[in-house]
C-alpha cells in the first residue's frame, strides 16, 4: 500500500477537460498529482487516468483539450436514461438490483456500434498499454449482474477496453464486451469511487460531478469515510466559473476547451488545500 492516491471522477467530455486543466494548473503551482502511488479513474476519470499515467507530458495533454473537437459527436443524456437511473433506487430492493435495472436499459438502448465507440476511445488515449511504473485502477459495472469491478494491469484486459467500459454511459454509449460479459459506466456505482483509496494516508479527489443518490454515494460521503479511517482528503469540484464554462451538457465537445481553461484558472484557488493534503511530511 502506498502513501498518496489520486481519484479522478466521472463527468463526460467536459469532465476530462476540466480535470486535465486543473491538473495542469496544479502542476504550475508545483503540485505533481501524477506522482500518486495509486490513480483511480471512473468514466471520464478513466480517460484522464490512462493519459496521466502514460509517458505523455501533462502540458501536451492539456493542449489537446484546446484543439477543435473535429470528429467528436455531440451527445446528451436522454430523458429515458435520467428516468431509469433516478427511478432504479425506488423500484429495486438493494443497490445491486438497482444497477441491474439500469443495466437492462443499457443493454437494450439504441447506440452506435461497440466497435465504433472503441475506436473513439482508442483515438483519445495517448497510450494503449497499462502503465508499468504506476498503479492505475479503472472502474466498471457488469450490466447484467450489477457487479462492480476495478480493472488493472493485472486483470488481463486491454486498457482501451477497460476505459471504454468505464465510459459506457447507459443509454448513450454501448456496453462493452470483455470476456463474454457486458460492462457499463463505473459511475453507476459512484461518480468517483473514492472508497477504493481506503488505506492511503493522503487522497485528492477531483470530482467534476459530485452527485450523491441512494444508488450512487458521492465523493464527499466517501471522503468522510476515508477521513474517519485516518486519511487526509481533499475533494475538488468545479467552482462557479468552471460550472458556467462546462454548461449543462457534459457530453458536448464544443465546451471542451472552455472547461479545460476553467480548470486551469481554478487551480490557484485550490492549490493550498491540495498542497496541505499532498505535500505533508511522510512518516
Amino acid at each position: 500500500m502506498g502513501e498518496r492516491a489520486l481519484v479522478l471522477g466521472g463527468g463526460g467530455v467536459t469532465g476530462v477537460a476540466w480535470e486535465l486543466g486543473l491538473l495542469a494548473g496544479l502542476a504550475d503551482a508545483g503540485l505533481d498529482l501524477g506522482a500518486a502511488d495509486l490513480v483511480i479513474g471512473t468514466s471520464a476519470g478513466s480517460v484522464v487516468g490512462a493519459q496521466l499515467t502514460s509517458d505523455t507530458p501533462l502540458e501536451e495533454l492539456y493542449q489537446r483539450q484546446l484543439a477543435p473537437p473535429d470528429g467528436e459527436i455531440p451527445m446528451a443524456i436522454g430523458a429515458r436514461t435520467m428516468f431509469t437511473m433516478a427511478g432504479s433506487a425506488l423500484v429495486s430492493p438493494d443497490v445491486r438490483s438497482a444497477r441491474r435495472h439500469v443495466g437492462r436499459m443499457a443493454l437494450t438502448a439504441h447506440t452506435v456500434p461497440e466497435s465504433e465507440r472503441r475506436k473513439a476511445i482508442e483515438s483519445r488515449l495517448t497510450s494503449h498499454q497499462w502503465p508499468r511504473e504506476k498503479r492505475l485502477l479503472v472502474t466498471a459495472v457488469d450490466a447484467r449482474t450489477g457487479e462492480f469491478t476495478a480493472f488493472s494491469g493485472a486483470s488481463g484486459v486491454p486498457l482501451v477496453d477497460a476505459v471504454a467500459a468505464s465510459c459506457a454511459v447507459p443509454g448513450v454509449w454501448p456496453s462493452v464486451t470483455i470476456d463474454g460479459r457486458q460492462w457499463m459506466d463505473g459511475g453507476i456505482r459512484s461518480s468517483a469511487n473514492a472508497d477504493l483509496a481506503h488505506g492511503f494516508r493522503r487522497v485528492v479527489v477531483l470530482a467534476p460531478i459530485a452527485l450523491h443518490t441512494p444508488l450512487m454515494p458521492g465523493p464527499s460521503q466517501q471522503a468522510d469515510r476515508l477521513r474517519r479511517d485516518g486519511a487526509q482528503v481533499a475533494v475538488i469540484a468545479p467552482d462557479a466559473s468552471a460550472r458556467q464554462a462546462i454548461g449543462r451538457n457534459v457530453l458536448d465537445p464544443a465546451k471542451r476547451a472552455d472547461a479545460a481553461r476553467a480548470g486551469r484558472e481554478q487551480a490557484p484557488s485550490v492549490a493550498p488545500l491540495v498542497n496541505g493534503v499532498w505535500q505533508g511530511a511522510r512518516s
Side-chain angles (χ1 to χ4, degrees), residues 144-170:
R144 297 189 185 279
T145 68
E147 176 188 349
F148 172 76
T149 197
F151 295 115
S152 70
S155 300
V157 173
L159 178 62
V160 174
D161 290 340
V163 172
S166 191
C167 294
V169 180

Side-chain angles (χ1 to χ4, degrees), residues 7-281:
V7 179
L8 301 165
V13 173
T14 55
V16 171
W18 175 80
E19 289 182 353
L20 285 170
L22 189 66
L23 289 167
L26 290 172
D28 293 339
L31 290 164
D32 178 15
L33 270 62
D37 301 296
L38 172 67
V39 176
I40 300 164
T42 292
S43 199
S46 71
V47 175
V48 177
Q51 294 177 327
L52 188 65
T53 56
S54 72
D55 293 328
T56 308
L58 180 56
E59 184 62 29
E60 179 180 332
L61 296 175
Y62 172 74
Q63 291 296 330
R64 284 165 61 100
Q65 297 303 305
L66 304 184
D70 298 334
E72 294 282 354
I73 303 174
M75 298 293 289
I77 299 176
R80 181 191 177 200
T81 298
M82 295 297 293
F83 178 80
T84 301
M85 294 179 65
S88 59
L90 300 176
V91 301
S92 304
D94 54 57
V95 170
R96 192 154 167 174
S97 296
R99 294 181 203 149
R100 289 198 297 269
H101 184 75
V102 175
R104 285 192 292 272
M105 181 270 293
L107 293 171
T108 59
H110 295 288
T111 66
V112 299
E114 184 180 339
S115 59
E116 182 177 330
R117 175 61 174 164
R118 190 185 191 282
K119 288 180 181 178
I121 296 295
E122 194 173 46
S123 69
R124 292 176 187 173
L125 300 186
T126 53
S127 172
H128 300 157
Q129 305 299 319
W130 288 93
R132 293 184 178 180
E133 303 299 328
K134 299 178 181 179
R135 187 178 175 211
L136 171 66
L137 297 181
V138 173
T139 67
V141 171
D142 188 307
R144 297 189 185 279
T145 68
E147 176 188 349
F148 172 76
T149 197
F151 295 115
S152 70
S155 300
V157 173
L159 178 62
V160 174
D161 290 340
V163 172
S166 191
C167 294
V169 180
V172 177
W173 302 118
S175 58
V176 173
T177 306
I178 299 176
D179 295 333
R181 300 173 69 176
Q182 302 296 120
W183 296 91
M184 62 181 176
D185 200 311
I188 297 304
R189 177 182 182 264
S190 165
S191 62
N193 293 297
D195 58 321
L196 294 182
H198 176 75
F200 285 78
R201 294 183 62 242
R202 306 182 183 281
V203 183
V204 172
V205 182
L206 305 189
I209 297 177
L211 183 65
H212 172 61
T213 72
L215 174 62
M216 296 184 293
S220 294
Q221 289 71 31
Q222 292 177 330
D224 286 343
R225 177 59 185 271
L226 292 174
R227 293 187 185 102
R228 289 196 295 270
D229 291 338
Q232 295 186 51
V233 187
V235 178
I236 310 299
D239 60 14
S241 295
R243 291 195 300 271
Q244 183 175 9
I246 290 169
R248 294 187 176 183
N249 180 12
V250 299
L251 300 179
D252 183 1
K255 292 287 188 177
R256 188 176 69 184
D258 289 343
R261 294 188 186 97
R264 195 162 202 167
E265 291 168 2
Q266 182 181 349
S269 67
V270 301
L273 173 61
V274 174
N275 182 70
V277 169
W278 203 249
Q279 303 280 50

